[in-house]
Amino acid sequence: MNLVLLLPIFNLFVGVFSKEALTPNVVNVGAIFSLSTFPGKVAKVAMKAAENDINSDPTILGGRKLSISLHDSNFSSFLAIIGALQFMETDTVAIIGPQSSTMAHILSHLANELHVPLLSFTALDPGLSPLQFPFFVQTAPNDEFQMIAIAEMVSYFGWAEVIAVFSDDGQNRNGIITLDNELAQRRCRISYKAVLPPDMTATSSDVQRELTKIQMMESRVIVLHTFSTSGLLVFEVAKSLGMMGKGYVWIASTWLSTVLDSTSPLKPKTANLIQGALTLRPHTPDTKRKRDFISRWSQLSNGSVGFNPYGLYAYDTVWMIARAVKSLLDQGANISFSNDARLTDVGGMDLNLSSLSIFDGGEQLLKNILETNMTGLTGPVRFNQDRSLINPSYGIINVVKTGYRQIGFWSNYSGLSIVPPETFYGKKPNRSSSNQHLDHVVWPGGGTTRPRGWVFPNNGRELRIGVPNRVSFRDFVSIVNANGTDKVQGYCIDVFIAAVKLMPYAVPYRFVPFGDGHRNPSYYKLVSKIESGDFDGAVGDIATVRDRTRIVDFTQPYIESGLVVVAPVKRISSSPWSFARPFTPFMWAVTAAFFLIVGSVVWVLEHRINDEFRGPPSQQLVTILTFSFSTMFFSHRENTVSTLGRLVLIIWLFVVLIINSSYTASLTSILTVQQLSSPIKGIDSLISSTEPIGYQGGTFAKNYLIEELNIPRSRLIPLGSPEEYAQALENRTVAAIVDERPYVDLFLSAHCEFSVRGQEFTKRGWGFAFPRDSPLAVDMSTAILALSENGELQKIRDKWLSRRACSSEEPENVSDELDLKSFWGLFLICGIACMLALLVYFPLIFFQFSRHRPEEPDSTSRNRSYSARLRTCLSFVDKKVEKSQSSSKRKRESMSHGHHKVNV
């Protein structure tokens, strides 16, 4: 028979035999790596060590042997696919790899179809979602955590911009996208992305073209995310271009630490290329098992490759598969495979797809892998709900002449620290900035001072600084023609020049006027020129208001500038009736009423028992009046003998004390302090009125009055100069002017007939404007603070703004009339005391009256008319209590008796 005809029958026989066979004696696991790379070399040694350790313990797989077959993809995606198909034909339960994320995206589709778990500790692309690729498992922390660590390092050192250099492949591209997002959350950004050809295909000319562009840019912080071949090429070209010197910062991803570990000691040439660079290394806790394994490494590798942390992840990955297979067998399942009908039905092709089989226990094996809970060489191995390993962490490495040194750690639990992150796991997480620490760094060029992270572009161009061409209040900023050239001067200009002199580097600039010179320009349009790129900054009397901060960054304010109200005032002189001004008329009326009320209440309480409150009606009326008003001076002659009367009097005297003190203080102020009078008391009274309001054109005052205070646009009148201010106020064209405090101070220095009314109702400041995220704004803020501390800022202010003929703010009605609202609580307490005293007094009188009635001899009194009974009651109330003589009566009798004895 023809051999060609027998071959399909033989394949079918072998396939049927393999499918019907029960659990085999050998558990096949495949591995796909480029074995000439550092990760491939380390993975080969570590996986074989794990295979030997597992097979030496028969309790792991119940006497079965684990067999790991390695396939060398040799940097070829096509060979990686061929290797994966070969593994699928040989009843492989799991595949370790591939090495790159690009191949992981492709092979994961195959793994999904055939239910073969795909485990990788090097394909760490954050874009490999478990939702899309459920059979792909990353057994090392993916690059998302590495990018978070780099972003926190950038934020820790205070840099605002970085440049990303990366290879154009899925893993590196997605890593940079993640870095960009993480930097944005920390108010930093990637200012430029330099894309290189994929690893092994990049040439020196490709790298030099991108680095030459970077040399001309501002940022000096470079993040290099690639693989070892391209990475070392980038450092070689950077060294030749002088980009490994002072001022530069290089942060490399974990590929560089892999090179450092795997080729120790480094060749002098390589070591010289990367001096001062920072890199990350996956961190694993220091345990005895880990130390023992590292001590075995030289024997295991025969000196072919140095040890790096990925050897630990490779070893643990094999153990994860072995433990998962053991759990699968313990659960009563068999390692069996079956044909996929969709593949056997494919016709018209010469591909032997029918030899590919589905792993029947693949889903359960994947579930067992994700439920791994073991302690491996990398420490505790468990997966979170998002299928990432718990507690991802990195060591931060600084390359120095003698090799490298560890300056700290990063973990998603504790952030940046100088102690291993596992020391924090038993404590409450604290990621505050005050707890973030790293050791000192030796930067490129050998310095230990933190680089600024940016420079001016190396293109010889001066900064174009826009300045407003003002026509009024030119003391702040003005443009004058001197010797045929425009000269910019003023308070704001002097502050800017003084701040530039304190900068730690040269700032070339030139002033560019903005405005037509006929009216004050719009400051919003001025700062918009920065956003559009027409200006590199703006200097002048520019307030830091909300709509401007959305498009530019401002420096620290160099002068406070809130809105105030200016209105005409007249000075109030003393008059013969000034004594009545401390209280409002209503306050006077209420006070007088209470004098009478308290006097009447005390008279009622004292009338029956106190001779001083008895007598003819006219005398009693005089007593009430004199007693009431004499309490104002605490000079009342009448004594109170009843408990209730004394209680009311004590409370009233306390009220009188407070009223007297307030009256005295207010009257003193009125007679000694010059008073200013104006119907405008502040912004509240201005809003409630309907009169027109003036404002300075070009400033933010108009928008604030309309948008924030809801003042109709028809009430607002633009004014341009101090002279227009004075004329409009004098002619009553406007009731008041709303403007920023520095302008108002300068205006009032020459116009004492006006005054500030009320308090500042906004809190603003003037600052210099620069593009968003410009480092220049931060450095200028530091310089302004230095000017403030050394007194130079005050000297500049005195030079331009202290020429005042009168005070800009007179005392304004500091002693306004006191109203009832300031004292109603006291009057309420006094009124309640009077009511309670009467409520207690009258029931006692009626009780005494009811006891007195039965003793009356006239038995027909019950038949008396109501009026008669009322007269009897009033007579009883008015009757003097004989048996309870007042203390004053007894005192007079005693004095009289003593006088008679002396006469005798």
Side-chain angles (χ1 to χ4, degrees):
M1 184 178 292
N2 193 328
L3 184 60
V4 177
L5 297 176
L6 291 176
L7 185 59
I9 299 174
F10 176 79
N11 287 339
L12 178 62
F13 175 79
V14 173
V16 171
F17 179 80
S18 64
K19 303 307 183 283
E20 293 179 351
L22 296 177
T23 304
N25 291 326
V26 177
V27 178
N28 294 318
V29 174
I32 302 174
F33 285 91
S34 294
L35 297 180
S36 61
T37 62
F38 291 129
K41 293 177 181 179
V42 171
K44 178 180 178 180
V45 175
M47 289 188 296
K48 284 301 180 181
E51 177 186 15
N52 293 334
D53 292 345
I54 291 169
N55 289 334
S56 64
D57 187 352
T59 63
I60 302 299
L61 295 176
R64 300 172 184 83
K65 295 297 184 180
L66 179 70
S67 175
I68 299 179
S69 301
L70 287 108
H71 176 81
D72 187 2
S73 61
N74 196 25
F75 304 101
S76 171
S77 299
F78 177 73
L79 292 179
I81 296 174
I82 295 299
L85 291 173
Q86 289 176 345
F87 289 141
M88 299 300 182
E89 292 179 352
T90 56
D91 297 345
T92 299
V93 299
I95 297 177
I96 302 175
Q99 186 171 331
S100 70
S101 295
T102 301
M103 288 312 306
H105 279 271
I106 298 173
L107 297 184
S108 291
H109 292 287
L110 185 60
N112 292 347
E113 291 295 328
L114 301 180
H115 295 181
V116 177
L118 197 64
L119 292 81
S120 180
F121 50 87
T122 54
L124 303 175
D125 183 358
L128 287 165
S129 167
L131 296 176
Q132 185 179 6
F133 308 113
F135 277 84
F136 180 77
V137 180
Q138 293 172 328
T139 58
N142 73 31
D143 284 348
E144 176 185 3
F145 301 104
Q146 182 179 188
M147 295 302 131
I148 295 175
I150 293 176
E152 292 200 4
M153 290 169 59
V154 171
S155 177
Y156 171 80
F157 287 114
W159 299 312
E161 293 183 359
V162 303
I163 293 174
V165 180
F166 61 97
S167 297
D168 190 17
D169 59 69
Q171 178 166 336
N172 293 303
R173 190 186 311 111
N174 289 336
I176 293 301
I177 291 173
T178 302
L179 175 63
D180 204 1
N181 295 335
E182 294 297 329
L183 287 172
Q185 294 180 19
R186 294 159 178 81
R187 299 197 66 183
C188 307
R189 70 186 184 101
I190 297 177
S191 60
Y192 179 72
K193 296 178 181 178
V195 184
L196 304 177
D199 196 46
M200 301 300 296
T201 63
T203 63
S204 295
S205 59
D206 296 327
V207 175
Q208 185 166 1
R209 182 169 54 252
E210 289 298 328
L211 293 188
T212 302
K213 294 179 184 177
I214 294 173
Q215 265 190 314
M216 305 300 291
M217 298 177 183
E218 294 182 359
S219 179
R220 287 293 183 263
V221 182
I222 303 170
V223 176
L224 181 57
H225 187 44
T226 180
F227 298 112
S228 57
T229 304
S230 296
L232 291 176
L233 180 60
V234 169
F235 277 118
E236 182 179 348
V237 175
K239 183 74 173 179
S240 66
L241 294 176
M243 297 176 66
M244 294 302 299
K246 186 176 181 181
Y248 281 90
V249 177
W250 287 85
I251 303 175
S253 51
T254 53
W255 69 266
L256 182 55
S257 66
T258 302
V259 172
L260 294 174
D261 291 330
S262 302
T263 58
S264 181
L266 283 175
K267 296 179 181 179
K269 180 181 178 181
T270 304
N272 187 47
L273 294 177
I274 57 178
Q275 290 296 311
L278 296 176
T279 184
L280 299 177
R281 173 201 283 155
H283 172 72
T284 56
D286 186 20
T287 62
K288 185 177 184 304
R289 287 189 61 195
K290 174 182 171 181
R291 291 193 298 269
D292 292 342
F293 182 78
I294 295 175
S295 66
R296 294 170 50 197
W297 187 259
S298 296
Q299 179 183 355
L300 294 172
S301 64
N302 292 322
S304 61
V305 64
F307 172 81
N308 66 55
Y310 289 107
L312 303 177
Y313 287 105
Y315 185 91
D316 282 354
T317 299
V318 177
W319 271 92
M320 289 169 62
I321 296 173
R323 286 175 175 270
V325 172
K326 181 179 186 302
S327 298
L328 180 68
L329 297 175
D330 291 344
Q331 292 161 358
N334 294 321
I335 298 178
S336 61
F337 298 82
S338 59
N339 287 327
D340 188 348
R342 292 174 300 175
L343 298 177
T344 57
D345 292 342
V346 175
M349 296 184 181
D350 294 332
L351 297 174
N352 190 20
L353 297 178
S354 61
S355 63
L356 301 177
S357 54
I358 297 175
F359 179 21
D360 297 329
E363 292 188 3
Q364 185 60 44
L365 182 63
L366 174 65
K367 184 174 182 294
N368 293 343
I369 291 173
L370 296 177
E371 292 176 352
T372 297
N373 187 356
M374 71 177 194
T375 300
L377 298 183
T378 58
V381 180
R382 292 195 302 277
F383 289 95
N384 292 320
Q385 292 182 350
D386 60 357
R387 291 174 57 166
S388 64
L389 290 172
I390 62 169
N391 299 328
S393 57
Y394 296 89
I396 302 175
I397 306 300
N398 180 207
V399 182
V400 294
K401 289 183 178 180
T402 57
Y404 59 84
R405 51 188 290 271
Q406 188 152 301
I407 63 169
F409 302 87
W410 177 90
S411 77
N412 68 332
Y413 190 85
S414 57
L416 300 173
S417 66
I418 57 176
V419 296
E422 55 267 21
T423 60
F424 296 99
Y425 292 156
K427 304 176 183 178
K428 185 178 180 180
N430 188 345
R431 298 289 298 275
S432 63
S433 58
S434 60
N435 289 324
Q436 306 297 290
H437 300 287
L438 290 177
D439 207 346
H440 70 275
V441 181
V442 178
W443 303 100
T448 56
T449 303
R450 178 188 66 86
R452 190 172 66 250
W454 74 281
V455 295
F456 284 104
N458 189 20
N459 52 18
R461 184 177 66 84
E462 296 177 323
L463 293 179
R464 296 161 299 177
I465 304 298
V467 293
N469 189 4
R470 295 192 58 88
V471 297
S472 63
F473 296 105
R474 293 168 60 86
D475 296 80
F476 295 105
V477 57
S478 62
I479 300 172
V480 296
N481 189 279
N483 300 324
T485 59
D486 289 337
K487 178 183 178 183
V488 183
Q489 63 182 22
Y491 168 72
C492 303
I493 303 301
D494 281 5
V495 173
F496 176 78
I497 294 174
V500 168
K501 291 179 180 179
L502 294 180
M503 298 285 278
Y505 46 86
V507 182
Y509 65 89
R510 62 185 176 90
F511 292 122
V512 181
F514 176 77
D516 56 13
H518 301 293
R519 59 180 180 178
N520 294 332
S522 168
Y523 282 56
Y524 183 81
K525 291 181 179 179
L526 172 60
V527 298
S528 296
K529 289 287 186 180
I530 300 175
E531 184 185 32
S532 63
D534 295 330
F535 291 149
D536 300 307
V539 171
D541 45 340
I542 308 171
T544 56
V545 295
R546 183 175 56 190
D547 58 344
R548 299 172 188 171
T549 57
R550 292 172 178 167
I551 57 177
V552 296
D553 281 349
F554 281 91
T555 63
Q556 167 83 15
Y558 57 88
I559 188 173
E560 296 298 324
S561 174
L563 290 177
V564 293
V565 176
V566 180
V569 293
K570 64 177 181 178
R571 285 156 176 76
I572 303 175
S573 58
S574 299
S575 70
W577 304 101
S578 295
F579 70 87
R581 285 174 53 193
F583 290 161
T584 62
F586 186 62
M587 178 65 183
W588 280 115
V590 172
T591 304
F594 262 84
F595 273 111
L596 296 176
I597 292 172
V598 172
S600 300
V601 171
V602 172
W603 177 85
V604 170
L605 299 175
E606 297 287 325
H607 178 68
R608 298 188 73 231
I609 62 176
N610 192 338
D611 288 342
E612 294 184 358
F613 288 87
R614 300 187 63 82
S618 59
Q619 180 181 344
Q620 295 182 50
L621 180 60
V622 172
T623 299
I624 292 174
L625 294 176
T626 56
F627 175 81
S628 299
F629 291 103
S630 61
T631 56
M632 179 184 298
F633 311 103
F634 305 97
S635 60
H636 50 283
R637 297 177 54 190
E638 295 78 9
N639 295 315
T640 54
V641 297
S642 67
T643 302
L644 293 175
R646 290 174 176 175
L647 177 64
V648 170
L649 184 60
I650 289 173
I651 294 176
W652 173 242
L653 290 178
F654 174 73
V655 174
V656 169
L657 175 64
I658 300 300
I659 292 175
N660 276 344
S661 301
S662 303
Y663 176 86
T664 303
S666 181
L667 183 61
T668 302
S669 177
I670 289 172
L671 297 178
T672 58
V673 178
Q674 188 178 33
Q675 300 294 295
L676 302 178
S677 174
S678 172
I680 304 299
K681 305 298 182 183
I683 187 61
D684 293 333
S685 61
L686 190 60
I687 294 174
S688 61
S689 71
T690 58
E691 297 183 85
I693 303 171
Y695 69 92
Q696 182 183 173
T699 65
F700 73 95
K702 177 182 178 181
N703 289 338
Y704 185 89
L705 293 173
I706 295 174
E707 297 173 4
E708 302 295 335
L709 302 183
N710 298 317
I711 295 177
R713 190 184 301 268
S714 58
R715 291 182 58 192
L716 302 180
I717 298 178
L719 302 172
S721 66
E723 293 73 21
E724 290 185 31
Y725 281 18
Q727 185 177 3
L729 291 172
E730 290 172 353
N731 299 336
R732 304 300 181 185
T733 305
V734 296
I737 293 173
V738 175
D739 204 353
E740 296 178 69
R741 190 58 186 253
Y743 302 125
V744 169
D745 287 343
L746 201 60
F747 168 68
L748 295 180
S749 65
H751 299 84
C752 302
E753 66 272 24
F754 311 111
S755 177
V756 173
R757 310 301 295 167
Q759 303 297 321
E760 292 183 4
F761 53 92
T762 65
K763 292 296 181 181
R764 296 285 190 275
W766 289 354
F768 305 133
F770 294 97
R772 293 297 299 269
D773 301 319
S774 170
L776 192 60
V778 178
D779 291 345
M780 284 293 290
S781 295
T782 303
I784 290 171
L785 289 175
L787 289 176
S788 177
E789 292 172 358
N790 62 23
E792 187 66 24
L793 195 61
Q794 184 61 43
K795 292 179 181 178
I796 299 174
R797 182 166 183 164
D798 293 341
K799 171 185 175 182
W800 290 97
L801 307 179
S802 294
R803 305 183 307 278
R804 299 181 180 178
C806 59
S807 175
S808 65
E809 184 177 4
E810 299 288 348
E812 47 165 323
N813 291 344
V814 293
S815 57
D816 286 339
E817 293 178 327
L818 300 175
D819 201 352
L820 180 62
K821 64 182 180 181
S822 302
F823 301 97
W824 70 266
L826 291 172
F827 287 124
L828 178 63
I829 294 172
C830 185
I832 292 174
C834 292
M835 291 180 61
L836 291 177
L838 293 176
L839 289 175
V840 173
Y841 176 76
F842 283 118
L844 290 176
I845 293 297
F846 292 148
F847 176 73
Q848 294 174 9
F849 176 68
S850 63
R851 295 183 59 187
H852 171 72
R853 287 178 60 194
E855 298 175 1
E856 292 180 356
D858 189 358
S859 61
T860 62
S861 60
R862 296 180 181 178
N863 299 324
R864 291 181 181 177
S865 65
Y866 174 78
S867 60
R869 289 196 302 270
L870 179 60
R871 286 194 299 272
T872 303
C873 179
L874 293 176
S875 177
F876 177 79
V877 171
D878 186 60
K879 184 178 180 181
K880 177 70 170 65
V881 179
E882 298 294 341
K883 61 180 180 179
S884 301
Q885 293 181 340
S886 67
S887 59
S888 60
K889 178 69 174 179
R890 290 195 301 268
K891 180 179 179 181
R892 285 196 300 270
E893 290 179 350
S894 175
M895 292 177 62
S896 176
H897 181 68
H899 179 70
H900 287 308
K901 289 178 66 176
V902 171
N903 289 336
V904 173

